[in-house]
Amino acid sequence: MSGTGPEWAGKAEAALTAAGWRVHEPADRKLGVEYEAVRVRPEADRVLFVLYVRRAMCGIVVSGPSDSDPETLFDSAEAYAARVAVIDKNRVWRERGLPPFQYVTHGAAWHFRNILDGERLDGTSAPDAPQGGSRSRRVFAPHQPTTLDRWMSEAEENPDAPTLRARLRRLPDERLDHRRLRAAQRRSIKGLERSFAKGREKALIVMATGSGKTHTVVQSSYRLLRHARAHRVLFLVDRNNLGEQAYNAYRGFTPLGSERPLHQQMPLRLFNKGEVAESDKIVISTIQRLWCKLAGIRTPKPDDAEFRDDEDFKKDLDGFGDFETKAVDRLAGDVARVSYCPELPPDTFDVIVVDECHRSIYGRWQPVLDYFDAHVVGLTATPIDETFGFFDNNLVSQYSYPQAVADSVNVDYDIYKIWTNITERGSTIPELSEKVHPDGRVERYNSVIAKVHRESRAERWHTVKEADPYAPVEINQRVRSKDQIRLVVETFRDKLFTEIFPPVTDRVTGEIQSREIVPKTLFFAQNDLHADAIVAAVHTAFDAGPGFCRKITSQEPQAKKALSDFRNKPGMRIAVTVDMIATGTDIPALECLVFMRDIHTWSYFEQMKGRGARTIKDHDLRKVTRDAVHKDRFVIVDAVGVTEHPKVDSCPLVRDDEPPVPSLERLLTACGEGRAIHVDDVATLAGRLSRLGRRLDDQGRAVIEQHLSGRSYEEFVVTLVRAADTDARAEARAQGEVVDEGSEIAAAVRPLTDSEALRAALLEAARDSWLLIDHLSRDQLIEARGLLAEEEARQVVDDWHTYMAEHEDQIAPLRIAFHERRSPREVLRVLKELIAKVRATRREWTEVRLWKAYVDLEIARGGPRRNAGLVEFLSIMRYELGFDGEDFQPYRSTVESRLEGWLARQETAGVTFDDRQRAWLRRVADVVAANATVSVKSLMEGHRRMEGGYGDFVDAFRNSRWEPVKLVDELDKELGA
């Protein structure tokens, strides 16, 4: 700031200058300057800047002290704007009305309000504007003057809808093509546009994997760019292969109502090098690359698959000074900090689409999103609690996997179990091995096994000094059992064409069709070394070469080519991955998933499972799998029990799986230097030390525990876990408790902060990076079979009975509503409340899943297995609560029985109905059977409309003792719910 002045005013001036404004006093103004921020004489607690674009007064900036309230500053901005508009009225941009662009700041944060969001250009109120006028929003920094210049031009071209937010309220209600968009896609687009029209800045779209999320948002992007005149759309991913996949989806898309591909109308850019050009309309990028740009770090090379780990990333930083290395260190110990970037200012994008938004955007990467002044749209199939929180619970559309299966958008799956002795019980590496000589003499000697270094892959031989037992959880963490891998792979091979994909009968010809070509199969491995071992076992079991089975992980230099080959080439039948293609990646011809790693997180398992759910046209399937006829299911081969135990709806403890990866050494160094660490880093630290604890022997544990002041290793790790539990703190705050997150974290890591010896002992233990190879234990097959639908159904129904018994307080309102024969609408309201409560704890319990279980157990007879909704759930609850007797009654039967009873009572009262009237009564019963209620409006829908609708209903009962409206209400009461 020129001369002396308060710090907060200096920060405001510096931010304006960085954004491209020429800041000066009124006396210093010069001709020919296009973009000016003229400083008005400051007051004691305010500093005012007047913004000019091309000599036209268009905006006001008010800066105040750090404790200033933004709304109070906005009041000052309006008062100042009115004053300067009178003083310099000849230079005000619009003839009537105040300068519309208003900014307030107290140095640390900026807030912005555009008056034109709620007004026409002439200053009159827009009829669809928000009540009380335009809303303010927080921004990272003031907008660049070129942005205001563009906004002014757009407003002059469309004075009735002068801003993006005004145009979002007026998007044309075009009929979206039913032939090219599915119903769920249309609902998502409409839901998103309604949300934008209401002024919501964030929106969440939940659509099942494979149901067309990307295609939905491509069409939506086109509508926002064309009709709302959004300046630029960003499609954000967290992996390069997902970015390329999205790029191809955009590039291959022709918008509805258009003859030309989208990229020919609106320039498309895959942001992997260079800068975003002014002409670019759709930009696709990884969030890591944007962070590098905003943090002043050199961006990785375009052919890098992803940031794999700290060491790889630091190699890219060689020769770039201390700042970049410190920036990486900051990321390891905190969130992804960003700073103002003139080449990528906060107003670069109007809309940001975050793909697979259950990952990446919470905690560490959120500042990247917060930097941009943009609407944010989230796409995911598997939202977790943090997802809903980030998007302010603004769920604009939801399309579940069971719904997608019912609509034939996704395919269903079957489960095949392979269970071995070592998988279930673990094993023991023996101290002594035996050799039986031909003469019967038994020779005993110390066992010798191999061990492999996890990083260098160096192999050494190791003499076993004492028996070494290992538990199932240690398999592929501390010990690899060669025979367990061999047995699982060989069992998969032997059962593949007899039980996993058995012969089927052609429904048309009656011929038996057997398969001989291995279906496209994806193995999920525990880690990269495990993946190598599985690939080797597959090659041996199938007597095949490297073209038959490949590893596809981020550490593979040719991973991109291998993925393309697996997707498109007939020769490559099996791929083995860890995480790289576990989510997001499309391989429609995939028919089999083999889990050789366990997953405890619900959302991640659903994402992995979704790799097999995609549909594919028959002729496209046969291009890569010649003897396949039709993909109507996929198979999960469960070799670790992943389908059997419950999953949690949360993030894993180790939250550094998105590179750059904060290593244990760096986290311990941060503790030793006394730096404050982020809650995600505490969780990562807890997760890493927990995994380390499973590898420690008694001696190694004792070395560490001598530095823990009498606490056990497990107690120390539990303290870290509790400090990382943000949900528990949120619940405590909700109950009125005072919670200090910083103090809890500081107390939990204090042993690490205070004791260099403890840090050194932990690092020494962690550097034991050798994986033991157990080639001595012989595994045995316990079982290999498909899980029958009845077994799964029985488990579902038993679990439901347990839930009902444990939550009688939630069931009671429905029991009362049934007993008192309350109105159908009241019963349905209570029923929906019950469903919401159930979903809050057991998200997988959908109406479809419960109904399918009751049908599979032949409790509910005659109903479709995979198509159910509220009415079917109503039938289940009436049966379970005993309101339909001992036998299950389909709801239609209940309604028809009620109709017959009502007709009998009418006849007793002397009321008769002719054939036309009875036909309408049956139609009303049909409505109730489908919806549990009936209204006048419903008589105008579907085939009832073809029969004359409500008008014909009125005419039919014209001479009846029942008035039509009262009759509808009577039937609703007597037949419904």
Side-chain angles (χ1 to χ4, degrees):
M1 184 172 180
S2 301
T4 60
E7 181 183 3
W8 43 266
K11 288 182 177 180
E13 182 170 323
L16 286 165
T17 302
W21 296 92
R22 185 179 184 274
V23 183
H24 51 67
E25 304 284 348
D28 297 331
R29 300 184 68 180
K30 297 179 181 179
L31 293 175
V33 176
E34 292 185 320
Y35 307 124
E36 304 171 281
V38 179
R39 187 189 315 105
V40 179
R41 185 172 61 184
E43 299 182 1
D45 61 347
R46 299 284 190 277
V47 172
L48 170 69
F49 302 86
V50 183
L51 303 181
Y52 291 85
V53 169
R54 302 190 189 279
R55 312 291 290 177
M57 183 195 302
C58 63
I60 298 290
V61 178
V62 175
S63 177
S66 58
D67 59 351
S68 300
D69 176 66
E71 289 305 316
T72 302
L73 292 179
F74 271 120
D75 292 340
S76 299
E78 288 212 16
Y80 280 130
R83 188 185 312 168
V84 298
V86 172
I87 295 172
D88 203 1
K89 62 182 179 180
N90 293 329
R91 299 186 62 188
V92 176
W93 168 47
R94 45 183 196 155
E95 295 181 3
R96 290 190 295 173
L98 302 177
F101 309 125
Q102 299 181 0
Y103 297 87
V104 301
T105 179
H106 48 57
W110 284 76
H111 295 264
F112 170 67
R113 178 167 63 198
N114 186 350
I115 293 177
L116 292 178
D117 286 341
E119 292 183 1
R120 297 187 178 95
L121 186 59
D122 63 8
T124 59
S125 178
D128 54 1
Q131 295 184 32
S134 59
R135 304 171 188 168
S136 64
R137 60 184 185 269
R138 183 164 179 166
V139 293
F140 188 85
H143 299 96
Q144 292 193 331
T146 52
T147 299
L148 268 60
D149 197 350
R150 171 169 54 82
W151 288 351
M152 293 163 67
S153 298
E154 292 172 355
E156 290 167 352
E157 293 173 10
N158 190 353
D160 287 337
T163 69
L164 171 64
R165 282 160 176 77
R167 294 189 291 272
L168 287 172
R169 298 195 297 267
R170 299 187 176 192
L171 283 171
D173 189 19
E174 295 180 345
R175 180 179 179 274
L176 297 173
D177 194 333
H178 286 64
R179 294 168 298 176
R180 294 176 55 192
L181 286 177
R182 300 175 182 134
Q185 294 172 317
R186 294 194 298 273
R187 287 195 299 271
S188 296
I189 293 172
K190 291 301 183 183
L192 178 62
E193 293 179 358
R194 283 193 297 269
S195 175
F196 283 165
K198 293 177 181 178
R200 301 294 295 268
E201 299 287 335
K202 296 177 180 178
L204 176 63
I205 296 175
V206 176
M207 295 180 69
T209 298
S211 61
K213 294 190 297 294
T214 303
H215 190 86
T216 299
V217 82
V218 172
Q219 176 65 42
S220 185
S221 299
Y222 172 77
R223 285 175 57 81
L224 295 173
L225 289 164
R226 179 186 177 191
H227 299 303
R229 294 192 62 185
H231 183 55
R232 190 178 290 117
V233 173
L234 170 66
F235 191 94
L236 199 58
V237 298
D238 65 354
R239 296 181 183 179
N240 271 356
N241 68 308
L242 300 184
E244 292 169 359
Q245 186 171 286
Y247 178 80
N248 292 331
Y250 272 96
R251 188 171 179 82
F253 175 71
T254 300
L256 302 177
S258 176
E259 299 296 329
R260 292 188 299 152
L262 180 61
H263 72 275
Q264 293 182 7
Q265 304 178 52
M266 298 171 178
L268 175 65
R269 171 70 178 277
L270 182 60
F271 186 46
N272 55 8
K273 59 182 177 180
E275 306 293 340
V276 175
E278 177 61 28
S279 59
D280 291 334
K281 289 298 180 185
I282 302 170
V283 176
I284 300 168
S285 175
T286 62
I287 198 166
Q288 295 93 334
R289 187 173 294 276
L290 285 185
W291 171 71
C292 284
K293 191 72 177 175
L294 300 179
I297 296 174
R298 187 183 72 175
T299 55
K301 297 180 286 294
D303 57 350
D304 281 353
E306 53 186 325
F307 303 142
R308 286 187 288 274
D309 56 42
D310 283 340
E311 296 306 315
D312 285 348
F313 195 69
K314 287 166 71 175
K315 290 175 185 176
D316 281 343
L317 301 177
D318 287 347
F320 281 78
D322 291 338
F323 171 77
E324 287 79 4
T325 304
K326 289 178 181 177
V328 177
D329 286 339
R330 282 205 309 275
L331 182 62
D334 208 337
V335 296
R337 301 185 186 278
V338 299
S339 57
Y340 188 85
C341 176
E343 295 80 22
L344 202 67
D347 41 26
T348 302
F349 307 105
D350 280 341
V351 180
I352 299 177
V353 179
V354 185
D355 192 28
E356 306 295 352
C357 67
H358 55 279
R359 302 196 307 251
S360 304
I361 64 175
Y362 316 111
R364 196 173 301 277
W365 296 114
Q366 184 170 333
V368 177
L369 287 179
D370 292 342
Y371 173 83
F372 293 103
D373 178 28
H375 290 80
V376 182
V377 182
L379 296 179
T380 184
T382 54
I384 58 178
D385 290 341
E386 288 88 345
T387 315
F388 291 106
F390 178 83
F391 286 96
D392 302 326
N393 290 305
N394 185 28
L395 177 62
V396 300
S397 179
Q398 184 170 23
Y399 188 56
S400 67
Y401 175 74
Q403 290 173 310
V405 171
D407 293 341
S408 299
V409 172
N410 279 347
V411 297
D412 204 353
Y413 65 95
D414 292 326
I415 299 173
Y416 190 87
K417 181 178 180 179
I418 297 176
W419 206 239
T420 76
N421 187 60
I422 290 179
T423 303
E424 181 170 339
R425 302 182 180 90
S427 188
T428 298
I429 302 174
E431 175 187 357
L432 299 175
S433 295
E434 294 183 349
K435 179 179 180 181
V436 180
H437 291 273
D439 61 1
R441 180 172 49 91
V442 177
E443 178 184 359
R444 292 181 174 85
Y445 53 90
N446 283 98
S447 300
V448 178
I449 63 171
K451 60 179 183 179
V452 177
H453 195 272
R454 301 173 194 274
E455 303 299 330
S456 68
R457 308 296 177 94
E459 185 171 317
R460 296 180 183 174
W461 290 97
H462 167 70
T463 300
V464 181
K465 296 180 180 179
E466 61 181 31
D468 185 358
Y470 57 91
V473 295
E474 295 180 282
I475 297 174
N476 298 311
Q477 295 283 358
R478 185 176 73 86
V479 182
R480 180 202 300 156
S481 168
K482 293 185 67 173
D483 208 51
Q484 185 242 13
I485 296 173
R486 175 200 64 78
L487 183 57
V488 169
V489 171
E490 289 184 357
T491 303
F492 169 73
R493 176 201 62 193
D494 295 342
K495 306 293 185 180
L496 185 58
F497 298 121
T498 57
E499 297 180 12
I500 302 175
F501 288 87
V504 296
T505 302
D506 189 297
R507 294 181 179 179
V508 177
T509 65
E511 296 178 354
I512 301 296
Q513 295 180 331
S514 300
R515 297 180 64 170
E516 298 178 351
I517 299 173
V518 176
K520 290 281 186 178
T521 299
L522 181 62
F523 278 74
F524 289 113
Q526 182 69 37
N527 48 50
D528 216 67
L529 283 172
H530 188 208
D532 288 334
I534 294 172
V535 170
V538 168
H539 288 161
T540 300
F542 286 88
D543 192 20
F548 177 81
C549 174
R550 291 278 303 276
K551 181 178 74 172
I552 305 178
T553 69
S554 59
Q555 296 189 25
E556 278 295 287
Q558 298 295 320
K560 182 178 176 181
K561 181 180 183 303
L563 177 58
S564 176
D565 290 348
F566 184 51
R567 181 186 287 120
N568 301 311
K569 290 190 175 181
M572 186 174 172
R573 306 312 306 170
I574 297 177
V576 183
T577 191
V578 180
D579 291 310
M580 182 176 170
I581 55 177
T583 68
T585 305
D586 291 340
I587 309 173
L590 194 60
E591 294 185 81
C592 188
L593 305 177
V594 182
F595 281 84
M596 294 187 70
R597 63 176 291 193
D598 202 358
I599 304 296
H600 294 274
T601 305
W602 168 82
S603 60
Y604 195 42
F605 175 66
E606 290 296 317
Q607 285 287 330
M608 297 168 81
K609 191 174 72 177
R611 298 315 96 214
R614 284 168 166 76
T615 57
I616 184 173
K617 295 179 180 178
D618 293 348
H619 65 86
D620 290 333
L621 177 61
R622 286 192 290 271
K623 285 180 182 178
V624 293
T625 306
R626 190 178 63 255
D627 62 354
V629 177
H630 177 69
K631 182 180 176 181
D632 59 1
R633 65 162 192 152
F634 69 99
V635 179
I636 293 176
V637 177
D638 183 1
V640 290
V642 68
T643 62
E644 297 182 348
H645 61 71
K647 311 291 187 296
V648 296
D649 188 9
S650 63
C651 295
L653 267 180
V654 175
R655 299 174 190 169
D656 61 359
D657 56 335
E658 300 305 336
V661 176
S663 66
L664 178 61
E665 182 175 5
R666 182 167 294 144
L667 290 172
L668 293 177
T669 300
C671 293
E673 294 175 354
R675 285 187 279 159
I677 65 174
H678 189 263
V679 65
D680 280 355
D681 295 303
V682 181
T684 296
L685 195 57
R688 286 183 174 273
L689 294 182
S690 176
R691 294 177 185 178
L692 174 61
R694 292 198 293 267
R695 302 203 309 265
L696 291 173
D697 56 20
D698 291 341
Q699 182 179 354
R701 187 180 301 272
V703 169
I704 294 172
E705 288 180 346
Q706 67 180 335
H707 305 294
L708 289 176
S709 303
R711 282 195 294 175
S712 71
Y713 186 90
E714 287 75 14
E715 289 172 336
F716 172 53
V717 173
V718 166
T719 302
L720 293 173
V721 171
R722 289 172 178 165
D725 192 345
T726 55
D727 290 338
R729 275 193 287 272
E731 184 175 344
R733 290 191 184 99
Q735 295 175 358
E737 297 181 26
V738 178
V739 178
D740 186 342
E741 179 179 276
S743 297
E744 287 188 18
I745 292 175
V749 301
R750 186 165 291 119
L752 298 172
T753 304
D754 295 345
S755 175
E756 181 179 357
L758 173 60
R759 298 194 300 272
L762 289 170
L763 282 176
E764 183 64 27
R767 290 190 179 111
D768 182 13
S769 298
W770 294 91
L771 179 72
L772 303 180
I773 309 300
D774 179 11
H775 66 276
L776 301 174
S777 299
R778 290 293 171 261
D779 204 359
Q780 292 181 328
L781 185 66
I782 296 177
E783 64 176 344
R785 62 184 178 88
L787 296 183
L788 301 177
E790 288 80 4
E791 290 180 273
E792 182 183 1
R794 172 53 61 194
Q795 185 64 52
V796 170
V797 173
D798 288 347
D799 285 350
W800 179 241
H801 288 163
T802 301
Y803 182 90
M804 291 179 63
E806 293 176 350
H807 297 82
E808 174 58 30
D809 58 326
Q810 296 180 8
I811 306 296
L814 185 62
R815 187 191 301 274
I816 294 170
F818 281 149
H819 179 72
E820 296 180 354
R821 283 303 308 273
R822 294 184 180 178
S823 71
R825 289 171 179 79
E826 172 70 9
V827 174
L828 292 179
R829 182 187 65 78
V830 174
L831 195 68
K832 290 175 181 177
E833 289 177 354
L834 173 60
I835 291 173
K837 291 175 181 176
V838 172
R839 294 276 181 82
T841 56
R842 297 292 296 269
R843 195 182 304 276
E844 73 276 14
W845 276 357
T846 63
E847 300 95 288
V848 172
R849 187 163 186 254
L850 283 171
W851 179 255
K852 177 179 177 292
Y854 278 78
V855 173
D856 286 345
L857 291 179
E858 297 186 352
I859 298 172
R861 293 181 173 86
R865 295 172 68 239
R866 303 188 184 279
N867 188 13
L870 198 63
V871 168
E872 285 73 21
F873 185 61
L874 178 64
S875 298
I876 290 174
M877 294 310 298
R878 289 187 61 85
Y879 168 73
E880 291 294 356
L881 296 177
F883 285 95
D884 286 335
E886 295 184 0
D887 294 329
F888 188 97
Q889 290 291 327
Y891 190 64
R892 176 172 291 277
S893 298
T894 300
V895 172
E896 290 174 351
S897 176
R898 289 173 177 173
L899 177 60
E900 293 303 318
W902 183 82
L903 286 172
R905 292 194 298 274
Q906 294 300 304
E907 186 173 351
T908 301
V911 181
T912 59
F913 300 100
D914 59 28
D915 291 344
R916 182 185 179 193
Q917 291 169 338
R918 284 181 173 271
W920 266 110
L921 292 174
R922 284 192 293 272
R923 293 180 192 125
V924 171
D926 289 342
V927 175
V928 177
N931 303 286
T933 186
V934 66
S935 65
V936 168
K937 181 181 177 182
S938 62
L939 300 184
M940 292 295 296
E941 298 172 345
H943 69 275
R944 293 172 296 281
R945 185 175 183 178
M946 302 296 293
E947 299 291 341
Y950 182 65
D952 191 73
F953 177 81
V954 172
D955 187 62
F957 289 93
R958 188 178 304 279
N959 298 319
S960 170
R961 288 172 58 181
W962 278 100
E963 294 181 16
V965 173
K966 291 183 178 180
L967 178 57
V968 173
D969 291 340
E970 168 75 5
L971 293 172
D972 183 44
K973 176 183 176 182
E974 291 294 327
L975 307 185

